[in-house]
Amino acid sequence: MNSLTDSSRKSSSNNPLTHRVIIALGSNADHEANLNRALTLIGGVVDISRQAPAMWTEPVGKAAGMFLNSMVAGQTSLTLDELTEATKLMEAKCGRSAQGTAAGRIDIDIDILDYDGLRLHPDDWNRSYIKQLMKHI
């Protein structure tokens, strides 16, 4: 999952419908298991070419508990709307719920930060851990 084979890279780069993406993910509950499950699910729709090492961060906002965060870059044939819908389904599969979020439990948070050069979640780009993770992407 950390890198693609050369043949996979060739087939992805020849696909005119392939979109470059950067996705951030984090968890403050069952950290490693949730990150690993999310990475597996993301790998089903994104050809992951790079993955930043996981890092611990303090919570931002009202969520409680330390977060384990990571970031991936890759390519997908999904539109932005399709990828957004897919990531919301992935969050649900990893146990994220409105009730848990209200209580400060974030089983997994998956944010599309960049889609073909379109920067999303502008506040996230200013966070120091995002800047640190980007160094690996």
Side-chain angles (χ1 to χ4, degrees):
M1 186 160 316
N2 289 332
S3 65
L4 297 172
T5 63
D6 289 335
S7 62
S8 294
R9 286 181 216 255
K10 284 182 185 175
S11 64
S12 293
S13 64
N14 291 335
N15 182 348
L17 300 176
T18 298
H19 306 282
R20 292 174 292 110
V21 297
I22 298 172
I23 299 173
L25 54 159
S27 174
N28 74 352
D30 200 9
H31 306 89
E32 289 182 24
N34 282 325
L35 276 184
N36 287 333
R37 184 162 188 213
L39 286 167
T40 298
L41 293 169
I42 291 168
V45 297
V46 174
D47 289 331
I48 298 173
S49 58
R50 291 180 303 276
Q51 180 182 337
M55 67 179 290
W56 292 98
T57 62
E58 295 285 336
V60 175
K62 66 178 181 175
M66 292 291 289
F67 274 79
L68 188 60
N69 296 280
S70 189
M71 182 180 288
V72 296
Q75 298 178 333
T76 185
S77 62
L78 298 180
T79 66
L80 178 55
D81 287 343
E82 291 169 337
L83 184 59
T84 300
E85 183 178 333
T87 60
K88 295 306 169 203
L89 290 172
M90 291 174 202
E91 288 177 339
K93 285 182 181 180
C94 290
R96 185 162 183 177
S97 68
Q99 297 85 359
T101 299
R105 180 185 173 102
I106 310 296
D107 290 284
I108 196 71
D109 183 34
I110 303 172
D111 291 327
I112 305 162
L113 294 182
D114 187 284
Y115 184 90
D116 275 345
L118 174 63
R119 283 191 166 194
L120 306 164
H121 301 277
D123 291 342
D124 289 0
W125 286 94
N126 295 320
R127 295 186 175 147
S128 62
Y129 75 92
I130 293 293
K131 292 176 183 179
Q132 289 178 306
L133 291 170
M134 281 298 295
K135 292 177 183 178
H136 300 278
I137 299 298

Short mmCIF file of all heavy atoms in Angstrom, two decimals, residues 75-121:
data_model
loop_
_atom_site.label_atom_id
_atom_site.label_comp_id
_atom_site.label_asym_id
_atom_site.label_seq_id
_atom_site.Cartn_x
_atom_site.Cartn_y
_atom_site.Cartn_z
N GLN A 75 -3.90 8.38 -7.08
CA GLN A 75 -4.75 8.69 -8.22
C GLN A 75 -6.03 7.88 -8.14
O GLN A 75 -6.03 6.75 -7.65
CB GLN A 75 -4.03 8.36 -9.53
CG GLN A 75 -2.77 9.19 -9.72
CD GLN A 75 -2.03 8.85 -10.99
OE1 GLN A 75 -2.12 7.73 -11.48
NE2 GLN A 75 -1.30 9.80 -11.51
N THR A 76 -7.10 8.48 -8.64
CA THR A 76 -8.40 7.80 -8.65
C THR A 76 -9.14 8.15 -9.93
O THR A 76 -8.90 9.20 -10.53
CB THR A 76 -9.26 8.21 -7.43
OG1 THR A 76 -10.46 7.44 -7.42
CG2 THR A 76 -9.60 9.68 -7.43
N SER A 77 -10.02 7.27 -10.34
CA SER A 77 -10.88 7.56 -11.49
C SER A 77 -12.21 8.16 -11.04
O SER A 77 -13.02 8.56 -11.86
CB SER A 77 -11.13 6.28 -12.31
OG SER A 77 -11.79 5.32 -11.51
N LEU A 78 -12.43 8.25 -9.72
CA LEU A 78 -13.68 8.79 -9.20
C LEU A 78 -13.73 10.32 -9.34
O LEU A 78 -12.70 10.99 -9.23
CB LEU A 78 -13.84 8.44 -7.72
CG LEU A 78 -13.93 6.97 -7.35
CD1 LEU A 78 -14.09 6.81 -5.83
CD2 LEU A 78 -15.05 6.27 -8.09
N THR A 79 -14.93 10.85 -9.56
CA THR A 79 -15.11 12.29 -9.53
C THR A 79 -14.98 12.75 -8.08
O THR A 79 -15.02 11.93 -7.15
CB THR A 79 -16.49 12.70 -10.06
OG1 THR A 79 -17.49 12.20 -9.14
CG2 THR A 79 -16.75 12.18 -11.47
N LEU A 80 -14.86 14.05 -7.87
CA LEU A 80 -14.77 14.57 -6.51
C LEU A 80 -16.01 14.20 -5.70
O LEU A 80 -15.89 13.77 -4.55
CB LEU A 80 -14.57 16.09 -6.53
CG LEU A 80 -14.50 16.77 -5.16
CD1 LEU A 80 -13.41 16.15 -4.28
CD2 LEU A 80 -14.29 18.27 -5.34
N ASP A 81 -17.18 14.32 -6.29
CA ASP A 81 -18.41 13.95 -5.57
C ASP A 81 -18.43 12.47 -5.22
O ASP A 81 -18.82 12.09 -4.11
CB ASP A 81 -19.65 14.30 -6.40
CG ASP A 81 -19.92 15.79 -6.46
OD1 ASP A 81 -19.37 16.55 -5.62
OD2 ASP A 81 -20.68 16.21 -7.35
N GLU A 82 -18.01 11.62 -6.14
CA GLU A 82 -17.97 10.18 -5.88
C GLU A 82 -16.96 9.85 -4.79
O GLU A 82 -17.23 9.02 -3.91
CB GLU A 82 -17.62 9.41 -7.15
CG GLU A 82 -18.70 9.43 -8.21
CD GLU A 82 -18.23 8.90 -9.56
OE1 GLU A 82 -17.00 8.92 -9.85
OE2 GLU A 82 -19.11 8.49 -10.35
N LEU A 83 -15.80 10.49 -4.83
CA LEU A 83 -14.77 10.23 -3.83
C LEU A 83 -15.23 10.73 -2.46
O LEU A 83 -15.02 10.05 -1.45
CB LEU A 83 -13.45 10.89 -4.23
CG LEU A 83 -12.26 10.62 -3.32
CD1 LEU A 83 -11.97 9.12 -3.20
CD2 LEU A 83 -11.03 11.38 -3.82
N THR A 84 -15.88 11.88 -2.42
CA THR A 84 -16.41 12.40 -1.16
C THR A 84 -17.43 11.43 -0.56
O THR A 84 -17.38 11.11 0.64
CB THR A 84 -17.05 13.79 -1.38
OG1 THR A 84 -16.04 14.68 -1.87
CG2 THR A 84 -17.64 14.33 -0.09
N GLU A 85 -18.34 10.95 -1.40
CA GLU A 85 -19.33 9.98 -0.93
C GLU A 85 -18.65 8.70 -0.44
O GLU A 85 -19.01 8.15 0.60
CB GLU A 85 -20.32 9.65 -2.06
CG GLU A 85 -21.42 8.72 -1.63
CD GLU A 85 -22.43 8.44 -2.74
OE1 GLU A 85 -22.60 9.31 -3.62
OE2 GLU A 85 -23.03 7.35 -2.72
N ALA A 86 -17.65 8.24 -1.18
CA ALA A 86 -16.93 7.02 -0.79
C ALA A 86 -16.23 7.20 0.56
O ALA A 86 -16.27 6.29 1.40
CB ALA A 86 -15.92 6.64 -1.87
N THR A 87 -15.62 8.37 0.79
CA THR A 87 -14.93 8.57 2.07
C THR A 87 -15.92 8.63 3.23
O THR A 87 -15.61 8.15 4.32
CB THR A 87 -14.03 9.82 2.05
OG1 THR A 87 -14.82 10.98 1.79
CG2 THR A 87 -12.91 9.68 1.03
N LYS A 88 -17.10 9.17 3.01
CA LYS A 88 -18.12 9.20 4.07
C LYS A 88 -18.57 7.78 4.41
O LYS A 88 -18.77 7.44 5.57
CB LYS A 88 -19.31 10.07 3.68
CG LYS A 88 -18.97 11.54 3.52
CD LYS A 88 -18.29 12.10 4.75
CE LYS A 88 -17.72 13.47 4.53
NZ LYS A 88 -16.64 13.79 5.47
N LEU A 89 -18.72 6.95 3.38
CA LEU A 89 -19.07 5.54 3.62
C LEU A 89 -17.95 4.81 4.36
O LEU A 89 -18.20 3.98 5.23
CB LEU A 89 -19.39 4.84 2.30
CG LEU A 89 -20.68 5.26 1.61
CD1 LEU A 89 -20.77 4.64 0.21
CD2 LEU A 89 -21.89 4.86 2.45
N MET A 90 -16.69 5.13 4.01
CA MET A 90 -15.55 4.52 4.70
C MET A 90 -15.55 4.89 6.17
O MET A 90 -15.28 4.04 7.04
CB MET A 90 -14.24 4.98 4.06
CG MET A 90 -14.00 4.45 2.68
SD MET A 90 -12.50 5.23 1.99
CE MET A 90 -12.80 5.01 0.25
N GLU A 91 -15.83 6.16 6.47
CA GLU A 91 -15.89 6.60 7.86
C GLU A 91 -16.94 5.80 8.62
O GLU A 91 -16.69 5.34 9.74
CB GLU A 91 -16.19 8.10 7.94
CG GLU A 91 -15.04 8.97 7.51
CD GLU A 91 -15.36 10.46 7.51
OE1 GLU A 91 -16.56 10.82 7.46
OE2 GLU A 91 -14.40 11.25 7.55
N ALA A 92 -18.10 5.62 8.01
CA ALA A 92 -19.16 4.83 8.66
C ALA A 92 -18.73 3.38 8.87
O ALA A 92 -18.98 2.80 9.93
CB ALA A 92 -20.44 4.91 7.84
N LYS A 93 -18.06 2.79 7.87
CA LYS A 93 -17.59 1.40 8.01
C LYS A 93 -16.57 1.26 9.13
O LYS A 93 -16.43 0.18 9.71
CB LYS A 93 -16.98 0.92 6.69
CG LYS A 93 -18.01 0.60 5.63
CD LYS A 93 -17.34 0.07 4.37
CE LYS A 93 -18.38 -0.22 3.31
NZ LYS A 93 -17.77 -0.73 2.07
N CYS A 94 -15.84 2.34 9.40
CA CYS A 94 -14.85 2.31 10.47
C CYS A 94 -15.45 2.69 11.83
O CYS A 94 -14.72 2.84 12.81
CB CYS A 94 -13.69 3.25 10.14
SG CYS A 94 -12.65 2.66 8.78
N GLY A 95 -16.77 2.88 11.87
CA GLY A 95 -17.45 3.11 13.13
C GLY A 95 -17.77 4.54 13.47
O GLY A 95 -18.30 4.83 14.55
N ARG A 96 -17.46 5.48 12.60
CA ARG A 96 -17.76 6.87 12.91
C ARG A 96 -19.26 7.09 12.91
O ARG A 96 -19.98 6.64 12.03
CB ARG A 96 -17.10 7.81 11.90
CG ARG A 96 -17.30 9.27 12.29
CD ARG A 96 -16.36 10.20 11.63
NE ARG A 96 -16.59 11.55 12.13
CZ ARG A 96 -15.89 12.58 11.76
NH1 ARG A 96 -14.89 12.43 10.91
NH2 ARG A 96 -16.15 13.77 12.24
N SER A 97 -19.73 7.80 13.95
CA SER A 97 -21.15 8.11 14.06
C SER A 97 -21.32 9.52 14.61
O SER A 97 -20.40 10.07 15.24
CB SER A 97 -21.84 7.11 15.00
OG SER A 97 -21.39 7.32 16.33
N ALA A 98 -22.49 10.09 14.39
CA ALA A 98 -22.79 11.42 14.91
C ALA A 98 -22.74 11.43 16.43
O ALA A 98 -22.23 12.37 17.05
CB ALA A 98 -24.15 11.89 14.41
N GLN A 99 -23.24 10.35 17.05
CA GLN A 99 -23.24 10.26 18.51
C GLN A 99 -21.81 10.21 19.05
O GLN A 99 -21.48 10.86 20.04
CB GLN A 99 -24.02 9.02 18.98
CG GLN A 99 -25.48 9.03 18.61
CD GLN A 99 -25.74 8.49 17.20
OE1 GLN A 99 -24.83 8.11 16.46
NE2 GLN A 99 -27.01 8.49 16.80
N GLY A 100 -20.97 9.40 18.42
CA GLY A 100 -19.58 9.29 18.84
C GLY A 100 -18.84 10.62 18.67
O GLY A 100 -18.10 11.04 19.57
N THR A 101 -19.07 11.27 17.54
CA THR A 101 -18.42 12.55 17.28
C THR A 101 -18.85 13.58 18.32
O THR A 101 -18.02 14.34 18.84
CB THR A 101 -18.75 13.04 15.85
OG1 THR A 101 -18.25 12.08 14.92
CG2 THR A 101 -18.12 14.38 15.56
N ALA A 102 -20.15 13.61 18.66
CA ALA A 102 -20.65 14.54 19.67
C ALA A 102 -20.00 14.30 21.02
O ALA A 102 -19.78 15.23 21.80
CB ALA A 102 -22.17 14.43 19.78
N ALA A 103 -19.65 13.04 21.30
CA ALA A 103 -19.01 12.68 22.56
C ALA A 103 -17.49 12.82 22.50
O ALA A 103 -16.80 12.54 23.49
CB ALA A 103 -19.39 11.25 22.93
N GLY A 104 -16.95 13.25 21.36
CA GLY A 104 -15.51 13.43 21.23
C GLY A 104 -14.77 12.22 20.72
O GLY A 104 -13.54 12.21 20.68
N ARG A 105 -15.48 11.18 20.31
CA ARG A 105 -14.85 9.98 19.78
C ARG A 105 -14.88 10.05 18.26
O ARG A 105 -15.95 10.05 17.65
CB ARG A 105 -15.57 8.71 20.25
CG ARG A 105 -14.94 7.44 19.70
CD ARG A 105 -15.77 6.21 20.08
NE ARG A 105 -15.26 5.04 19.41
CZ ARG A 105 -14.50 4.12 19.99
NH1 ARG A 105 -14.17 4.23 21.26
NH2 ARG A 105 -14.06 3.08 19.31
N ILE A 106 -13.69 10.10 17.65
CA ILE A 106 -13.57 10.12 16.20
C ILE A 106 -12.87 8.83 15.79
O ILE A 106 -11.64 8.74 15.83
CB ILE A 106 -12.75 11.35 15.70
CG1 ILE A 106 -13.26 12.65 16.32
CG2 ILE A 106 -12.74 11.39 14.18
CD1 ILE A 106 -14.67 13.03 15.92
N ASP A 107 -13.66 7.81 15.45
CA ASP A 107 -13.07 6.54 15.06
C ASP A 107 -12.15 6.74 13.85
O ASP A 107 -11.06 6.19 13.80
CB ASP A 107 -14.15 5.51 14.75
CG ASP A 107 -14.86 5.08 16.02
OD1 ASP A 107 -14.28 4.30 16.78
OD2 ASP A 107 -15.98 5.57 16.26
N ILE A 108 -12.62 7.53 12.89
CA ILE A 108 -11.79 7.88 11.74
C ILE A 108 -12.34 9.17 11.13
O ILE A 108 -13.55 9.38 11.10
CB ILE A 108 -11.72 6.75 10.68
CG1 ILE A 108 -10.56 6.98 9.70
CG2 ILE A 108 -13.03 6.61 9.93
CD1 ILE A 108 -9.19 6.77 10.29
N ASP A 109 -11.44 10.01 10.70
CA ASP A 109 -11.78 11.22 9.96
C ASP A 109 -10.98 11.15 8.67
O ASP A 109 -9.76 11.02 8.72
CB ASP A 109 -11.42 12.46 10.76
CG ASP A 109 -11.84 13.75 10.07
OD1 ASP A 109 -12.88 13.75 9.38
OD2 ASP A 109 -11.13 14.76 10.22
N ILE A 110 -11.67 11.19 7.55
CA ILE A 110 -11.02 11.12 6.24
C ILE A 110 -11.37 12.39 5.48
O ILE A 110 -12.54 12.65 5.22
CB ILE A 110 -11.49 9.88 5.44
CG1 ILE A 110 -11.23 8.59 6.23
CG2 ILE A 110 -10.80 9.84 4.08
CD1 ILE A 110 -11.85 7.34 5.60
N ASP A 111 -10.36 13.19 5.19
CA ASP A 111 -10.57 14.46 4.49
C ASP A 111 -9.78 14.49 3.19
O ASP A 111 -8.57 14.27 3.19
CB ASP A 111 -10.13 15.64 5.35
CG ASP A 111 -11.03 15.86 6.55
OD1 ASP A 111 -12.25 15.59 6.44
OD2 ASP A 111 -10.52 16.32 7.59
N ILE A 112 -10.47 14.78 2.10
CA ILE A 112 -9.82 15.01 0.81
C ILE A 112 -9.26 16.42 0.87
O ILE A 112 -10.03 17.39 0.96
CB ILE A 112 -10.81 14.86 -0.36
CG1 ILE A 112 -11.50 13.50 -0.30
CG2 ILE A 112 -10.11 15.09 -1.69
CD1 ILE A 112 -12.78 13.43 -1.13
N LEU A 113 -7.95 16.55 0.87
CA LEU A 113 -7.33 17.87 0.96
C LEU A 113 -7.08 18.49 -0.40
O LEU A 113 -7.11 19.71 -0.54
CB LEU A 113 -6.01 17.79 1.73
CG LEU A 113 -6.09 17.42 3.19
CD1 LEU A 113 -4.70 17.42 3.81
CD2 LEU A 113 -7.02 18.34 3.95
N ASP A 114 -6.81 17.65 -1.38
CA ASP A 114 -6.49 18.16 -2.72
C ASP A 114 -7.06 17.20 -3.75
O ASP A 114 -6.91 15.99 -3.64
CB ASP A 114 -4.97 18.27 -2.88
CG ASP A 114 -4.57 18.96 -4.16
OD1 ASP A 114 -4.66 18.31 -5.24
OD2 ASP A 114 -4.17 20.13 -4.12
N TYR A 115 -7.71 17.77 -4.75
CA TYR A 115 -8.27 16.98 -5.85
C TYR A 115 -7.88 17.70 -7.13
O TYR A 115 -8.38 18.80 -7.41
CB TYR A 115 -9.79 16.87 -5.72
CG TYR A 115 -10.43 15.99 -6.77
CD1 TYR A 115 -10.59 14.63 -6.55
CD2 TYR A 115 -10.85 16.51 -7.99
CE1 TYR A 115 -11.17 13.81 -7.50
CE2 TYR A 115 -11.43 15.70 -8.96
CZ TYR A 115 -11.59 14.36 -8.70
OH TYR A 115 -12.16 13.54 -9.66
N ASP A 116 -6.93 17.14 -7.87
CA ASP A 116 -6.44 17.74 -9.11
C ASP A 116 -6.04 19.20 -8.94
O ASP A 116 -6.32 20.05 -9.78
CB ASP A 116 -7.49 17.63 -10.23
CG ASP A 116 -7.43 16.30 -10.96
OD1 ASP A 116 -6.43 15.59 -10.81
OD2 ASP A 116 -8.39 15.99 -11.67
N GLY A 117 -5.39 19.51 -7.82
CA GLY A 117 -4.92 20.87 -7.59
C GLY A 117 -5.93 21.77 -6.89
O GLY A 117 -5.60 22.89 -6.50
N LEU A 118 -7.16 21.31 -6.73
CA LEU A 118 -8.17 22.08 -6.01
C LEU A 118 -7.99 21.80 -4.52
O LEU A 118 -8.16 20.66 -4.07
CB LEU A 118 -9.58 21.66 -6.44
CG LEU A 118 -10.75 22.29 -5.67
CD1 LEU A 118 -10.78 23.80 -5.85
CD2 LEU A 118 -12.06 21.65 -6.10
N ARG A 119 -7.62 22.82 -3.77
CA ARG A 119 -7.40 22.65 -2.33
C ARG A 119 -8.72 22.74 -1.59
O ARG A 119 -9.44 23.72 -1.70
CB ARG A 119 -6.44 23.71 -1.81
CG ARG A 119 -5.01 23.40 -2.14
CD ARG A 119 -4.10 24.30 -1.38
NE ARG A 119 -2.74 23.78 -1.46
CZ ARG A 119 -1.76 24.18 -0.70
NH1 ARG A 119 -1.96 25.13 0.20
NH2 ARG A 119 -0.57 23.65 -0.83
N LEU A 120 -9.00 21.71 -0.81
CA LEU A 120 -10.21 21.63 0.00
C LEU A 120 -9.83 21.75 1.47
O LEU A 120 -8.65 21.62 1.82
CB LEU A 120 -10.92 20.31 -0.28
CG LEU A 120 -11.21 20.05 -1.77
CD1 LEU A 120 -11.56 18.59 -2.01
CD2 LEU A 120 -12.33 20.95 -2.25
N HIS A 121 -10.78 21.96 2.33
CA HIS A 121 -10.55 22.10 3.78
C HIS A 121 -9.45 23.14 4.05
O HIS A 121 -8.39 22.82 4.61
CB HIS A 121 -10.18 20.75 4.42
CG HIS A 121 -11.23 19.71 4.26
ND1 HIS A 121 -12.33 19.63 5.08
CD2 HIS A 121 -11.39 18.72 3.33
CE1 HIS A 121 -13.09 18.63 4.69
NE2 HIS A 121 -12.55 18.07 3.63
#
